[in-house]
Amino acid sequence: MSLNASTFSKSFLILVGCVVLVSGCGINKIPTLDEEVKASWGQVENQYQRRADLVPNLVNTVKGYAAHETETLQAVTEARANVGKLEITSDSISNPAMLQQFEKAQSALSSALSRLMVVVERYPDLKANQNFLELQAQLEGTENRISVARRDYIESVKAFNTHIRTFPGKIWHSMFFSDLALKETFEATEGAEEAPTVEF
């Protein structure tokens, strides 16, 4: 009887030792990094959504002063609608084609907003409008937040991808997390390190 208790005690201690060893060796780092990538992607989406939500108010404010600029206003509205059609979740960020499509739509909206700001320069009364000034400040702040969110996302993807491609993460990935693929990041475009300049 004491032999069985002694054997059980040793087996239990070995099991506890294995659990402690495995939990301390970095096996949990892969899901932790994966969640960080998803959370930072959520911030990217959040900031782009914030910008998209500003667009209707901006268009309506400009329309009141520059109604005959219909081509520019329509381009902004259409670009915003195209952004709204895309549904990219944290589960689909490993798909390079989807991320490229998302980035292209966001870039088109940035371009349309830039053209709108050129139009605004022709209307001094609009530039002095309090509502427009508030929208201007919100848009500038949002562009900065987008830049920060994209940077944080890129860093979290780098950490995840590096970990699953290097020792010991590569071993844990192949044994337990092979369903988690390398994550895609934004393609760098010229001047991407700076937030777009919005001049009013």
Side-chain angles (χ1 to χ4, degrees):
M1 184 79 172
S2 62
L3 182 63
N4 287 340
S6 174
T7 305
F8 176 75
S9 295
K10 287 180 183 178
S11 297
F12 181 73
L13 287 175
I14 291 171
L15 179 63
V16 169
C18 288
V19 168
V20 169
L21 181 64
V22 167
S23 65
C25 68
I27 195 169
N28 291 326
K29 190 165 184 174
I30 293 174
T32 301
L33 290 173
D34 183 52
E35 291 304 315
E36 286 178 17
V37 169
K38 290 176 182 177
S40 60
W41 175 254
Q43 277 303 313
V44 169
E45 287 184 307
N46 185 36
Q47 297 310 322
Y48 276 125
Q49 184 61 51
R50 186 175 193 270
R51 178 175 73 172
D53 291 345
L54 287 172
V55 169
N57 292 332
L58 187 63
V59 167
N60 287 335
T61 302
V62 172
K63 195 184 292 184
Y65 286 84
H68 62 282
E69 303 284 356
T70 55
E71 184 179 323
T72 304
L73 294 169
Q74 186 175 353
V76 172
T77 303
E78 287 175 5
R80 190 230 185 251
N82 288 336
V83 164
K85 291 176 190 174
L86 291 176
E87 288 187 36
I88 296 190
T89 65
S90 58
D91 294 331
S92 59
I93 56 178
S94 297
N95 183 331
M98 289 188 78
L99 192 60
Q100 187 177 30
Q101 186 180 9
F102 177 83
E103 198 170 356
K104 185 177 178 183
Q106 294 295 346
S107 180
L109 181 55
S110 294
S111 178
L113 285 170
S114 294
R115 287 193 307 274
L116 181 64
M117 295 310 113
V118 170
V119 167
V120 166
E121 288 298 317
R122 299 183 208 144
Y123 301 93
D125 290 345
L126 172 60
K127 288 171 54 177
N129 177 283
Q130 186 61 38
N131 189 29
F132 181 77
L133 292 173
E134 288 174 14
L135 289 169
Q136 170 192 5
Q138 288 181 37
L139 186 59
E140 288 173 347
T142 299
E143 293 296 345
N144 290 331
R145 287 184 180 106
I146 288 170
S147 180
V148 169
R150 283 173 57 116
R151 182 200 64 208
D152 292 347
Y153 172 74
I154 290 167
E155 287 301 315
S156 65
V157 167
K158 177 184 169 190
F160 176 83
N161 288 349
T162 300
H163 186 72
I164 67 170
R165 295 176 67 206
T166 58
F167 182 81
K170 187 172 187 170
I171 293 170
W172 299 127
H173 181 257
S174 65
M175 290 174 64
F176 301 107
F177 304 106
S178 58
D179 59 320
L180 296 177
L182 290 171
K183 307 294 184 192
E184 290 296 319
T185 190
F186 291 105
E187 293 291 323
T189 54
E190 191 173 328
E193 68 278 358
E194 298 176 16
T197 303
V198 180
E199 294 181 8
F200 294 89

